[in-house]
Amino acid sequence: MSHRILLLGAPGAGKGTQSGKLADEYGIEHVTTGDALRANKDMETEYGTPRSFMEAGELVPDPVVNEIVEAALADADGFVLDGYPRNPDQAEFLSEITDLDAVILLDVADEVLVDRLTGRRVCDDCGANYHVDFQPPEREGVCDECGGELIQRDDDTEETARERLEVFYENTEPVIEHFRETGDLVEIDGEAPPDEVFSRIRDVIED
Ligand code: AMP
């Protein structure tokens, strides 16, 4: 059975970590607009490059991300969507191109999010996530998985992290509210340990 899963949550809620595990567990595509845009930061579009929006913590214009998602979903049998949709217009576009089997919100308090984002380190090669205090690598600055270099994302500074949370509450909360009203939203405590969060997500999907 194919799975079409939408994982919602603020920046730092754990969407990337959990999506990676889901993709492995079910053999589905991890479709993440954030990674796709980071890999194409200097791509010329009629709105300019993604870089300026991303470094300011703002949303990249809808047509750019909609196109990325449409192409990714066309190639995918099952998928877990991470970081999209981020506003009601993107949600509308998504509903026109696919149906979803599960919509899951990872719920995490604001102050926890800021701590997670500012302490986050990401492998430059394989994308694995770490945290300087909560989940340090065995050797500082080196990825446990592949030996790659761990870097801090440009937008994980405190100022930009707070801006991204503002953008989330203004633009993405209404998307969450929409799925709450349709009765599709399942909320999970995203502050639980990652393995526990994963096992709860799996329960939702297999229910
Ligand atoms: P993320 O890795 O999901 O935190 O995304 C990093 C940045 O990429 C965001 O702060 C936005 O600038 C941009 N971005 C990612 N996904 C979207 C989206 N669905 N819509 C607009 N901008 C996005």
Side-chain angles (χ1 to χ4, degrees):
M1 177 190 162
S2 86
H3 294 282
R4 290 163 299 184
I5 304 160
L6 170 56
L7 216 49
L8 292 165
K15 300 186 298 296
T17 301
Q18 298 297 334
S19 298
K21 287 169 178 273
L22 286 168
D24 286 348
E25 173 95 4
Y26 296 110
I28 55 180
E29 289 296 318
H30 178 189
V31 177
T32 152
T33 44
D35 283 358
L37 291 167
R38 269 186 291 283
N40 294 284
K41 266 190 172 174
D42 296 311
M43 168 179 72
E44 285 296 340
T45 77
E46 62 181 287
Y47 311 93
T49 64
R51 178 184 293 277
S52 52
F53 298 98
M54 296 173 80
E55 287 181 354
E58 289 165 8
L59 296 185
V60 173
D62 291 345
V64 177
V65 285
N66 287 346
E67 192 181 322
I68 291 172
V69 171
E70 189 169 20
L73 296 196
D75 291 340
D77 190 13
F79 59 81
V80 50
L81 253 181
D82 158 13
Y84 179 98
R86 261 176 153 97
N87 65 28
D89 286 342
Q90 293 178 14
E92 172 67 27
F93 182 82
L94 179 65
S95 74
E96 287 166 10
I97 60 170
T98 192
D99 293 319
L100 298 167
D101 301 316
V103 183
I104 297 168
L105 171 67
L106 300 180
D107 209 6
V108 175
D110 255 18
E111 284 320 301
V112 177
L113 293 169
V114 174
D115 283 348
R116 283 188 183 182
L117 290 168
T118 53
R120 172 159 69 182
R121 297 293 181 274
V122 187
C123 176
D124 203 20
D125 288 339
C126 77
N129 273 248
Y130 297 85
H131 189 282
V132 289
D133 300 318
F134 311 144
Q135 203 200 341
E138 271 169 37
R139 272 180 57 208
E140 197 185 324
V142 180
C143 179
D144 293 346
E145 307 284 327
C146 77
E149 184 192 358
L150 301 186
I151 56 163
Q152 182 171 32
R153 274 170 50 171
D154 294 336
D155 58 354
D156 277 344
T157 58
E158 173 147 2
E159 191 193 349
T160 312
R162 289 197 185 275
E163 174 62 24
R164 286 157 65 208
L165 291 180
E166 291 291 319
V167 168
F168 169 78
Y169 287 113
E170 192 177 323
N171 297 275
T172 315
E173 261 301 324
V175 175
I176 293 169
E177 199 45 48
H178 163 76
F179 285 114
R180 196 174 274 130
E181 280 167 13
T182 60
D184 293 318
L185 190 74
V186 180
E187 302 193 38
I188 288 180
D189 175 9
E191 290 183 36
D195 288 346
E196 221 169 290
V197 174
F198 183 61
S199 121
R200 289 182 201 169
I201 294 176
R202 216 171 30 196
D203 289 347
V204 171
I205 291 167
E206 289 174 13
D207 202 11

